[in-house]
Amino acid sequence: MNQSQRRQQIVIFEATQRCDLSCRFCYNVWHKHPETRHDDLEPRKTRELLDKLLSEAKPANFTISGGEPLLREDILDIVLQAALSGAQVTLITNGQTLDRKKTKRLVRAGVRTFEIQLLSDRASEHEYLQGVKESFERSIRGIEAVLSTKARMVAAFVATKLNLPRLHQTLRLAREMGVQGLMLNRFNPGGRGLDNLTELSPPPDDVLKMLEVAEHFAAQNKFPVSVSIPIPMCLVDIKRFPHLGYGFCSAGEEMSYPTLDSAGNLRPCNHSPLVLGNLFEKGFWELMDSPKRREFIETIPEICRGCEHLPECRASCRAAAIECGGMEPLLARIKALGK
């Protein structure tokens, strides 16, 4: 296919590495890979960068994340530029600074979906995981601000050993607030989270219990729940959970989500520290077709090689496996159990 005809379905733009939270589970790569740290480009250079990305990749979906993207003073310009390209814009934010006025401006600029963390129905638990006092109240206000608009509001629950016992109550809170669905993300090792593996990593039985709770709630309440971080099929038969959306590693597929940072560096996904190159120096498709990315796609954990589920399961999260020395903790525990 001619490169001018190619289209990337999803692109993630990490608008900044700055953040006003200190989440214990944060997978952002710069916490463990100082060579990936950088300052944001000035607004003019950011516009140039996004112009190149949007014209070459032609993304159908443009997700803005961070750090915390609302810390950028030019966030409205970034949203507007992406929306004017024809992309559907999603904003992943911690919601700490969202009020109704700011939210309406973002929606007018082009944000169609907001994603905000809701880690527990208990303030103390939510705040412990985010590392900042009073963040729960600010998160709730942010969610309520989005719900006052016509934008779609999706809550994000990061499932750790600490907050999994409150999953049902948190799902109930999200539904009662009126959010349109919940992203159920198991704790995925990376970044700052690597320092907290023992405290946060749920054992395989707890992951299965998580899916059972979510399946029952989704079925009983017709409430959309999407399991976004891959869960290996050697642990779970997804046919048991027909009411859950279920995703696998999309590396190498059309629905992969290459991630561009705020200095122009392109990575295979937001969980991987591997820099394919800089978009100011090379074309988007040249980087996507590079040997570096091919090697990332073809790196499969030893435990997964030869597995009958590999074509569909795609080896769980290969970025997390690489970050953990070849095997992520969940797979290691499954292996230890002899499953």
Side-chain angles (χ1 to χ4, degrees), residues 208-268:
L208 284 172
K209 181 65 175 177
M210 171 189 84
L211 296 175
E212 291 167 358
V213 170
E215 167 68 20
H216 180 74
F217 189 91
Q220 290 290 314
N221 297 282
K222 295 183 173 59
F223 185 75
V225 178
S226 177
V227 181
S228 305
I229 300 297
I231 298 176
M233 292 181 67
C234 53
L235 172 64
V236 57
D237 178 5
I238 63 173
K239 293 178 182 177
R240 291 176 50 200
F241 310 102
H243 295 90
L244 303 181
Y246 205 87
F248 298 102
C249 178
S250 60
E253 296 186 344
E254 183 182 356
M255 292 301 290
S256 65
Y257 39 93
T259 299
L260 186 73
D261 70 23
S262 55
N265 301 306
L266 188 70
R267 310 197 313 275

Short mmCIF file of all heavy atoms in Angstrom, two decimals, residues 208-268:
data_model
loop_
_atom_site.label_atom_id
_atom_site.label_comp_id
_atom_site.label_asym_id
_atom_site.label_seq_id
_atom_site.Cartn_x
_atom_site.Cartn_y
_atom_site.Cartn_z
N LEU A 208 -8.69 -13.62 38.60
CA LEU A 208 -9.90 -14.36 38.21
C LEU A 208 -11.12 -13.84 38.98
O LEU A 208 -12.20 -13.67 38.40
CB LEU A 208 -9.72 -15.86 38.47
CG LEU A 208 -8.83 -16.60 37.47
CD1 LEU A 208 -8.56 -18.02 37.95
CD2 LEU A 208 -9.48 -16.63 36.10
N LYS A 209 -10.95 -13.60 40.27
CA LYS A 209 -12.06 -13.06 41.07
C LYS A 209 -12.48 -11.70 40.55
O LYS A 209 -13.68 -11.38 40.50
CB LYS A 209 -11.62 -12.95 42.54
CG LYS A 209 -12.69 -12.42 43.48
CD LYS A 209 -13.87 -13.37 43.57
CE LYS A 209 -14.89 -12.88 44.60
NZ LYS A 209 -16.07 -13.76 44.66
N MET A 210 -11.52 -10.88 40.13
CA MET A 210 -11.81 -9.57 39.55
C MET A 210 -12.74 -9.70 38.35
O MET A 210 -13.74 -8.98 38.22
CB MET A 210 -10.50 -8.91 39.13
CG MET A 210 -10.64 -7.63 38.32
SD MET A 210 -9.05 -7.06 37.64
CE MET A 210 -8.96 -8.07 36.15
N LEU A 211 -12.42 -10.65 37.47
CA LEU A 211 -13.24 -10.85 36.28
C LEU A 211 -14.63 -11.36 36.63
O LEU A 211 -15.63 -10.97 36.01
CB LEU A 211 -12.54 -11.82 35.32
CG LEU A 211 -11.21 -11.34 34.75
CD1 LEU A 211 -10.56 -12.44 33.92
CD2 LEU A 211 -11.39 -10.09 33.91
N GLU A 212 -14.72 -12.22 37.64
CA GLU A 212 -16.02 -12.75 38.05
C GLU A 212 -16.91 -11.64 38.60
O GLU A 212 -18.11 -11.56 38.28
CB GLU A 212 -15.82 -13.85 39.09
CG GLU A 212 -15.20 -15.12 38.51
CD GLU A 212 -14.71 -16.08 39.59
OE1 GLU A 212 -14.84 -15.73 40.80
OE2 GLU A 212 -14.21 -17.16 39.24
N VAL A 213 -16.32 -10.77 39.43
CA VAL A 213 -17.08 -9.65 40.00
C VAL A 213 -17.55 -8.71 38.89
O VAL A 213 -18.71 -8.29 38.85
CB VAL A 213 -16.22 -8.89 41.03
CG1 VAL A 213 -16.90 -7.58 41.43
CG2 VAL A 213 -15.97 -9.74 42.26
N ALA A 214 -16.65 -8.39 37.98
CA ALA A 214 -16.99 -7.47 36.89
C ALA A 214 -18.03 -8.07 35.96
O ALA A 214 -18.96 -7.37 35.52
CB ALA A 214 -15.73 -7.10 36.10
N GLU A 215 -17.89 -9.35 35.66
CA GLU A 215 -18.86 -10.02 34.78
C GLU A 215 -20.25 -9.99 35.39
O GLU A 215 -21.24 -9.66 34.72
CB GLU A 215 -18.43 -11.46 34.54
CG GLU A 215 -19.48 -12.36 33.90
CD GLU A 215 -19.81 -12.01 32.46
OE1 GLU A 215 -19.00 -11.33 31.80
OE2 GLU A 215 -20.89 -12.42 31.99
N HIS A 216 -20.35 -10.33 36.67
CA HIS A 216 -21.66 -10.32 37.34
C HIS A 216 -22.27 -8.93 37.34
O HIS A 216 -23.46 -8.75 37.03
CB HIS A 216 -21.50 -10.84 38.78
CG HIS A 216 -22.78 -10.87 39.55
ND1 HIS A 216 -23.77 -11.81 39.34
CD2 HIS A 216 -23.27 -10.03 40.53
CE1 HIS A 216 -24.79 -11.57 40.14
NE2 HIS A 216 -24.51 -10.51 40.87
N PHE A 217 -21.46 -7.92 37.65
CA PHE A 217 -21.98 -6.55 37.70
C PHE A 217 -22.41 -6.08 36.32
O PHE A 217 -23.49 -5.48 36.17
CB PHE A 217 -20.93 -5.61 38.28
CG PHE A 217 -21.45 -4.23 38.58
CD1 PHE A 217 -21.95 -3.94 39.84
CD2 PHE A 217 -21.46 -3.23 37.61
CE1 PHE A 217 -22.46 -2.67 40.13
CE2 PHE A 217 -21.96 -1.98 37.89
CZ PHE A 217 -22.47 -1.69 39.15
N ALA A 218 -21.59 -6.34 35.31
CA ALA A 218 -21.91 -5.90 33.95
C ALA A 218 -23.19 -6.56 33.45
O ALA A 218 -24.03 -5.91 32.82
CB ALA A 218 -20.75 -6.22 33.02
N ALA A 219 -23.36 -7.84 33.74
CA ALA A 219 -24.54 -8.57 33.30
C ALA A 219 -25.79 -8.10 34.02
O ALA A 219 -26.85 -7.90 33.40
CB ALA A 219 -24.34 -10.07 33.51
N GLN A 220 -25.69 -7.91 35.33
CA GLN A 220 -26.84 -7.52 36.13
C GLN A 220 -27.29 -6.09 35.85
O GLN A 220 -28.49 -5.78 35.91
CB GLN A 220 -26.50 -7.67 37.62
CG GLN A 220 -26.36 -9.10 38.08
CD GLN A 220 -27.70 -9.84 38.10
OE1 GLN A 220 -28.71 -9.33 38.58
NE2 GLN A 220 -27.70 -11.05 37.57
N ASN A 221 -26.35 -5.22 35.54
CA ASN A 221 -26.66 -3.79 35.42
C ASN A 221 -26.56 -3.24 34.00
O ASN A 221 -26.76 -2.04 33.81
CB ASN A 221 -25.73 -3.00 36.33
CG ASN A 221 -25.91 -3.34 37.79
OD1 ASN A 221 -26.85 -2.87 38.44
ND2 ASN A 221 -25.02 -4.17 38.33
N LYS A 222 -26.22 -4.12 33.04
CA LYS A 222 -26.03 -3.67 31.65
C LYS A 222 -25.04 -2.50 31.60
O LYS A 222 -25.29 -1.48 30.95
CB LYS A 222 -27.36 -3.30 31.00
CG LYS A 222 -28.32 -4.47 30.84
CD LYS A 222 -29.60 -4.07 30.14
CE LYS A 222 -30.48 -5.27 29.82
NZ LYS A 222 -30.88 -6.03 31.01
N PHE A 223 -23.97 -2.66 32.33
CA PHE A 223 -22.97 -1.61 32.48
C PHE A 223 -21.70 -2.02 31.75
O PHE A 223 -21.11 -3.06 32.05
CB PHE A 223 -22.68 -1.38 33.97
CG PHE A 223 -21.73 -0.24 34.26
CD1 PHE A 223 -22.17 1.07 34.15
CD2 PHE A 223 -20.42 -0.48 34.64
CE1 PHE A 223 -21.31 2.13 34.42
CE2 PHE A 223 -19.55 0.56 34.92
CZ PHE A 223 -20.00 1.88 34.80
N PRO A 224 -21.23 -1.22 30.79
CA PRO A 224 -20.06 -1.61 30.00
C PRO A 224 -18.78 -1.62 30.83
O PRO A 224 -18.44 -0.64 31.48
CB PRO A 224 -19.99 -0.53 28.91
CG PRO A 224 -21.35 0.10 28.88
CD PRO A 224 -21.85 0.02 30.28
N VAL A 225 -18.07 -2.74 30.80
CA VAL A 225 -16.78 -2.88 31.45
C VAL A 225 -15.80 -3.44 30.44
O VAL A 225 -16.05 -4.48 29.82
CB VAL A 225 -16.84 -3.82 32.68
CG1 VAL A 225 -15.45 -3.96 33.31
CG2 VAL A 225 -17.83 -3.29 33.71
N SER A 226 -14.69 -2.74 30.26
CA SER A 226 -13.69 -3.15 29.29
C SER A 226 -12.40 -3.54 30.00
O SER A 226 -11.85 -2.75 30.77
CB SER A 226 -13.42 -2.00 28.30
OG SER A 226 -12.40 -2.35 27.39
N VAL A 227 -11.94 -4.76 29.76
CA VAL A 227 -10.68 -5.24 30.34
C VAL A 227 -9.58 -4.90 29.34
O VAL A 227 -9.40 -5.59 28.33
CB VAL A 227 -10.74 -6.75 30.61
CG1 VAL A 227 -9.44 -7.24 31.23
CG2 VAL A 227 -11.93 -7.08 31.52
N SER A 228 -8.85 -3.83 29.60
CA SER A 228 -7.98 -3.25 28.60
C SER A 228 -6.55 -3.78 28.64
O SER A 228 -5.90 -3.90 27.60
CB SER A 228 -7.95 -1.72 28.75
OG SER A 228 -9.26 -1.21 28.70
N ILE A 229 -6.03 -4.07 29.83
CA ILE A 229 -4.68 -4.63 29.94
C ILE A 229 -4.78 -6.14 29.74
O ILE A 229 -5.57 -6.80 30.41
CB ILE A 229 -4.05 -4.31 31.30
CG1 ILE A 229 -3.95 -2.79 31.51
CG2 ILE A 229 -2.67 -4.95 31.42
CD1 ILE A 229 -3.05 -2.08 30.53
N PRO A 230 -4.02 -6.71 28.82
CA PRO A 230 -4.16 -8.13 28.50
C PRO A 230 -4.02 -9.03 29.72
O PRO A 230 -3.18 -8.80 30.58
CB PRO A 230 -3.03 -8.39 27.49
CG PRO A 230 -2.69 -7.05 26.93
CD PRO A 230 -2.95 -6.06 28.02
N ILE A 231 -4.84 -10.07 29.76
CA ILE A 231 -4.73 -11.11 30.77
C ILE A 231 -4.47 -12.42 30.04
O ILE A 231 -5.24 -12.79 29.15
CB ILE A 231 -6.01 -11.21 31.63
CG1 ILE A 231 -6.24 -9.89 32.38
CG2 ILE A 231 -5.91 -12.37 32.62
CD1 ILE A 231 -7.52 -9.85 33.17
N PRO A 232 -3.39 -13.13 30.34
CA PRO A 232 -3.02 -14.31 29.56
C PRO A 232 -4.09 -15.39 29.57
O PRO A 232 -4.71 -15.67 30.59
CB PRO A 232 -1.72 -14.79 30.23
CG PRO A 232 -1.68 -14.11 31.55
CD PRO A 232 -2.42 -12.83 31.41
N MET A 233 -4.29 -16.00 28.41
CA MET A 233 -5.34 -17.01 28.26
C MET A 233 -4.98 -18.33 28.92
O MET A 233 -5.85 -19.19 29.07
CB MET A 233 -5.64 -17.20 26.78
CG MET A 233 -6.32 -15.99 26.14
SD MET A 233 -6.71 -16.21 24.39
CE MET A 233 -7.98 -17.49 24.49
N CYS A 234 -3.72 -18.50 29.33
CA CYS A 234 -3.39 -19.69 30.11
C CYS A 234 -3.95 -19.57 31.53
O CYS A 234 -4.01 -20.56 32.27
CB CYS A 234 -1.88 -19.91 30.15
SG CYS A 234 -0.92 -18.49 30.71
N LEU A 235 -4.38 -18.38 31.91
CA LEU A 235 -5.00 -18.16 33.21
C LEU A 235 -6.52 -18.15 33.12
O LEU A 235 -7.20 -18.66 34.00
CB LEU A 235 -4.52 -16.83 33.81
CG LEU A 235 -5.24 -16.36 35.09
CD1 LEU A 235 -4.97 -17.35 36.22
CD2 LEU A 235 -4.77 -14.96 35.48
N VAL A 236 -7.05 -17.61 32.05
CA VAL A 236 -8.49 -17.36 32.00
C VAL A 236 -9.09 -17.77 30.66
O VAL A 236 -8.51 -17.53 29.60
CB VAL A 236 -8.78 -15.87 32.28
CG1 VAL A 236 -8.04 -14.98 31.29
CG2 VAL A 236 -10.26 -15.56 32.21
N ASP A 237 -10.24 -18.40 30.73
CA ASP A 237 -11.05 -18.70 29.55
C ASP A 237 -12.04 -17.55 29.39
O ASP A 237 -13.00 -17.44 30.14
CB ASP A 237 -11.80 -20.02 29.74
CG ASP A 237 -12.70 -20.36 28.55
OD1 ASP A 237 -12.66 -19.61 27.55
OD2 ASP A 237 -13.43 -21.36 28.64
N ILE A 238 -11.79 -16.68 28.41
CA ILE A 238 -12.60 -15.47 28.29
C ILE A 238 -14.06 -15.77 27.92
O ILE A 238 -14.92 -14.90 28.09
CB ILE A 238 -12.00 -14.49 27.27
CG1 ILE A 238 -11.97 -15.10 25.87
CG2 ILE A 238 -10.62 -14.04 27.71
CD1 ILE A 238 -11.54 -14.10 24.81
N LYS A 239 -14.35 -16.97 27.47
CA LYS A 239 -15.74 -17.33 27.15
C LYS A 239 -16.61 -17.35 28.41
O LYS A 239 -17.83 -17.28 28.31
CB LYS A 239 -15.78 -18.69 26.47
CG LYS A 239 -15.13 -18.70 25.08
CD LYS A 239 -15.15 -20.09 24.47
CE LYS A 239 -14.44 -20.09 23.12
NZ LYS A 239 -14.40 -21.45 22.52
N ARG A 240 -15.95 -17.41 29.57
CA ARG A 240 -16.70 -17.39 30.83
C ARG A 240 -17.20 -15.99 31.17
O ARG A 240 -18.01 -15.83 32.08
CB ARG A 240 -15.80 -17.88 31.98
CG ARG A 240 -15.43 -19.35 31.94
CD ARG A 240 -14.48 -19.68 33.06
NE ARG A 240 -14.97 -19.18 34.36
CZ ARG A 240 -14.19 -19.00 35.42
NH1 ARG A 240 -12.88 -19.22 35.34
NH2 ARG A 240 -14.71 -18.56 36.56
N PHE A 241 -16.72 -15.00 30.43
CA PHE A 241 -17.03 -13.61 30.77
C PHE A 241 -17.56 -12.87 29.54
O PHE A 241 -16.94 -11.92 29.04
CB PHE A 241 -15.79 -12.92 31.32
CG PHE A 241 -15.11 -13.69 32.42
CD1 PHE A 241 -13.95 -14.42 32.16
CD2 PHE A 241 -15.64 -13.72 33.69
CE1 PHE A 241 -13.33 -15.14 33.15
CE2 PHE A 241 -15.03 -14.45 34.71
CZ PHE A 241 -13.88 -15.17 34.44
N PRO A 242 -18.73 -13.28 29.05
CA PRO A 242 -19.25 -12.74 27.77
C PRO A 242 -19.69 -11.28 27.84
O PRO A 242 -19.84 -10.64 26.80
CB PRO A 242 -20.43 -13.65 27.47
CG PRO A 242 -20.89 -14.15 28.81
CD PRO A 242 -19.63 -14.31 29.61
N HIS A 243 -19.88 -10.74 29.04
CA HIS A 243 -20.36 -9.36 29.15
C HIS A 243 -19.22 -8.34 29.32
O HIS A 243 -19.48 -7.16 29.50
CB HIS A 243 -21.33 -9.24 30.33
CG HIS A 243 -22.59 -10.03 30.14
ND1 HIS A 243 -22.71 -11.34 30.55
CD2 HIS A 243 -23.77 -9.71 29.55
CE1 HIS A 243 -23.92 -11.79 30.25
NE2 HIS A 243 -24.57 -10.83 29.65
N LEU A 244 -17.98 -8.82 29.26
CA LEU A 244 -16.84 -7.94 29.38
C LEU A 244 -16.18 -7.73 28.02
O LEU A 244 -16.04 -8.67 27.24
CB LEU A 244 -15.80 -8.52 30.35
CG LEU A 244 -16.26 -8.84 31.77
CD1 LEU A 244 -15.09 -9.40 32.59
CD2 LEU A 244 -16.86 -7.61 32.45
N GLY A 245 -15.80 -6.49 27.76
CA GLY A 245 -14.93 -6.24 26.61
C GLY A 245 -13.54 -6.74 26.97
O GLY A 245 -13.11 -6.60 28.11
N TYR A 246 -12.84 -7.33 26.02
CA TYR A 246 -11.58 -7.98 26.36
C TYR A 246 -10.55 -7.68 25.29
O TYR A 246 -10.79 -7.86 24.09
CB TYR A 246 -11.81 -9.49 26.45
CG TYR A 246 -10.82 -10.22 27.33
CD1 TYR A 246 -11.03 -10.35 28.70
CD2 TYR A 246 -9.67 -10.78 26.79
CE1 TYR A 246 -10.13 -11.01 29.52
CE2 TYR A 246 -8.75 -11.44 27.61
CZ TYR A 246 -8.99 -11.56 28.96
OH TYR A 246 -8.10 -12.20 29.77
N GLY A 247 -9.38 -7.18 25.71
CA GLY A 247 -8.35 -6.80 24.75
C GLY A 247 -7.06 -7.58 24.94
O GLY A 247 -6.77 -8.08 26.03
N PHE A 248 -6.31 -7.72 23.85
CA PHE A 248 -5.01 -8.37 23.87
C PHE A 248 -3.96 -7.41 23.35
O PHE A 248 -4.29 -6.36 22.81
CB PHE A 248 -5.03 -9.64 23.02
CG PHE A 248 -6.00 -10.69 23.50
CD1 PHE A 248 -7.21 -10.87 22.85
CD2 PHE A 248 -5.71 -11.47 24.60
CE1 PHE A 248 -8.11 -11.82 23.30
CE2 PHE A 248 -6.60 -12.43 25.05
CZ PHE A 248 -7.81 -12.61 24.40
N CYS A 249 -2.70 -7.78 23.50
CA CYS A 249 -1.62 -6.94 22.98
C CYS A 249 -1.81 -6.76 21.48
O CYS A 249 -1.98 -7.73 20.74
CB CYS A 249 -0.26 -7.59 23.27
SG CYS A 249 1.13 -6.65 22.61
N SER A 250 -1.79 -5.51 21.05
CA SER A 250 -2.05 -5.22 19.63
C SER A 250 -0.77 -4.91 18.86
O SER A 250 -0.84 -4.41 17.74
CB SER A 250 -3.01 -4.02 19.53
OG SER A 250 -2.45 -2.88 20.14
N ALA A 251 0.38 -5.21 19.46
CA ALA A 251 1.64 -4.91 18.78
C ALA A 251 1.68 -5.56 17.41
O ALA A 251 1.44 -6.75 17.26
CB ALA A 251 2.82 -5.41 19.62
N GLY A 252 1.98 -4.75 16.40
CA GLY A 252 2.08 -5.26 15.04
C GLY A 252 0.77 -5.32 14.29
O GLY A 252 0.75 -5.63 13.10
N GLU A 253 -0.34 -5.01 14.96
CA GLU A 253 -1.63 -5.06 14.31
C GLU A 253 -2.12 -3.66 13.95
O GLU A 253 -1.57 -2.65 14.40
CB GLU A 253 -2.65 -5.75 15.22
CG GLU A 253 -2.32 -7.21 15.51
CD GLU A 253 -3.42 -7.90 16.28
OE1 GLU A 253 -4.29 -7.20 16.85
OE2 GLU A 253 -3.43 -9.14 16.31
N GLU A 254 -3.16 -3.63 13.15
CA GLU A 254 -3.72 -2.35 12.72
C GLU A 254 -4.18 -1.52 13.90
O GLU A 254 -4.09 -0.30 13.89
CB GLU A 254 -4.88 -2.58 11.75
CG GLU A 254 -5.49 -1.31 11.19
CD GLU A 254 -6.67 -1.57 10.28
OE1 GLU A 254 -6.97 -2.76 10.02
OE2 GLU A 254 -7.30 -0.60 9.82
N MET A 255 -4.67 -2.18 14.95
CA MET A 255 -5.20 -1.46 16.11
C MET A 255 -4.15 -1.22 17.18
O MET A 255 -4.47 -0.97 18.33
CB MET A 255 -6.39 -2.23 16.69
CG MET A 255 -7.61 -2.26 15.79
SD MET A 255 -8.23 -0.61 15.39
CE MET A 255 -8.90 -0.12 16.98
N SER A 256 -2.87 -1.32 16.83
CA SER A 256 -1.81 -0.99 17.79
C SER A 256 -1.88 0.50 18.13
O SER A 256 -2.53 1.27 17.42
CB SER A 256 -0.43 -1.34 17.22
OG SER A 256 -0.14 -0.55 16.10
N TYR A 257 -1.22 0.89 19.21
CA TYR A 257 -1.30 2.30 19.62
C TYR A 257 0.09 2.88 19.81
O TYR A 257 0.55 3.04 20.93
CB TYR A 257 -2.17 2.47 20.86
CG TYR A 257 -2.03 1.39 21.90
CD1 TYR A 257 -1.13 1.54 22.95
CD2 TYR A 257 -2.79 0.24 21.84
CE1 TYR A 257 -1.00 0.57 23.92
CE2 TYR A 257 -2.66 -0.75 22.80
CZ TYR A 257 -1.76 -0.58 23.83
OH TYR A 257 -1.63 -1.55 24.80
N PRO A 258 0.77 3.20 18.70
CA PRO A 258 2.06 3.87 18.83
C PRO A 258 1.91 5.16 19.63
O PRO A 258 0.89 5.84 19.56
CB PRO A 258 2.45 4.15 17.38
CG PRO A 258 1.17 4.11 16.61
CD PRO A 258 0.31 3.12 17.31
N THR A 259 2.96 5.46 20.38
CA THR A 259 2.91 6.58 21.32
C THR A 259 3.99 7.60 21.00
O THR A 259 5.17 7.27 20.90
CB THR A 259 3.09 6.06 22.76
OG1 THR A 259 2.03 5.14 23.05
CG2 THR A 259 3.06 7.19 23.76
N LEU A 260 3.56 8.84 20.84
CA LEU A 260 4.47 9.94 20.55
C LEU A 260 4.62 10.79 21.80
O LEU A 260 3.62 11.21 22.38
CB LEU A 260 3.92 10.79 19.40
CG LEU A 260 4.84 11.91 18.87
CD1 LEU A 260 5.99 11.32 18.07
CD2 LEU A 260 4.04 12.90 18.03
N ASP A 261 5.86 11.04 22.23
CA ASP A 261 6.02 11.88 23.41
C ASP A 261 6.12 13.35 23.00
O ASP A 261 6.11 13.69 21.82
CB ASP A 261 7.21 11.43 24.28
CG ASP A 261 8.58 11.68 23.64
OD1 ASP A 261 8.70 12.56 22.76
OD2 ASP A 261 9.55 11.00 24.05
N SER A 262 6.20 14.22 24.00
CA SER A 262 6.12 15.66 23.73
C SER A 262 7.42 16.26 23.21
O SER A 262 7.53 17.47 23.06
CB SER A 262 5.68 16.40 24.99
OG SER A 262 6.54 16.11 26.08
N ALA A 263 8.41 15.39 22.90
CA ALA A 263 9.63 15.85 22.24
C ALA A 263 9.75 15.29 20.83
O ALA A 263 10.72 15.56 20.13
CB ALA A 263 10.86 15.46 23.06
N GLY A 264 8.75 14.48 20.42
CA GLY A 264 8.74 13.94 19.07
C GLY A 264 9.23 12.52 18.95
O GLY A 264 9.36 12.00 17.83
N ASN A 265 9.53 11.85 20.07
CA ASN A 265 10.02 10.47 20.04
C ASN A 265 8.84 9.50 19.94
O ASN A 265 7.90 9.58 20.72
CB ASN A 265 10.84 10.17 21.29
CG ASN A 265 12.04 11.09 21.42
OD1 ASN A 265 12.84 11.19 20.51
ND2 ASN A 265 12.13 11.76 22.55
N LEU A 266 8.94 8.56 18.99
CA LEU A 266 7.87 7.58 18.77
C LEU A 266 8.27 6.25 19.39
O LEU A 266 9.38 5.76 19.19
CB LEU A 266 7.61 7.42 17.28
CG LEU A 266 6.38 6.57 16.91
CD1 LEU A 266 5.09 7.31 17.28
CD2 LEU A 266 6.39 6.22 15.42
N ARG A 267 7.33 5.64 20.15
CA ARG A 267 7.54 4.33 20.76
C ARG A 267 6.46 3.37 20.28
O ARG A 267 5.39 3.80 19.83
CB ARG A 267 7.51 4.45 22.29
CG ARG A 267 8.42 5.55 22.84
CD ARG A 267 8.70 5.38 24.33
NE ARG A 267 7.54 5.11 25.15
CZ ARG A 267 6.73 6.03 25.65
NH1 ARG A 267 6.94 7.33 25.39
NH2 ARG A 267 5.71 5.72 26.40
N PRO A 268 6.69 2.05 20.37
CA PRO A 268 5.69 1.08 19.89
C PRO A 268 4.37 1.16 20.63
O PRO A 268 3.31 0.93 20.06
CB PRO A 268 6.36 -0.28 20.13
CG PRO A 268 7.80 -0.01 20.31
CD PRO A 268 7.91 1.38 20.87
#
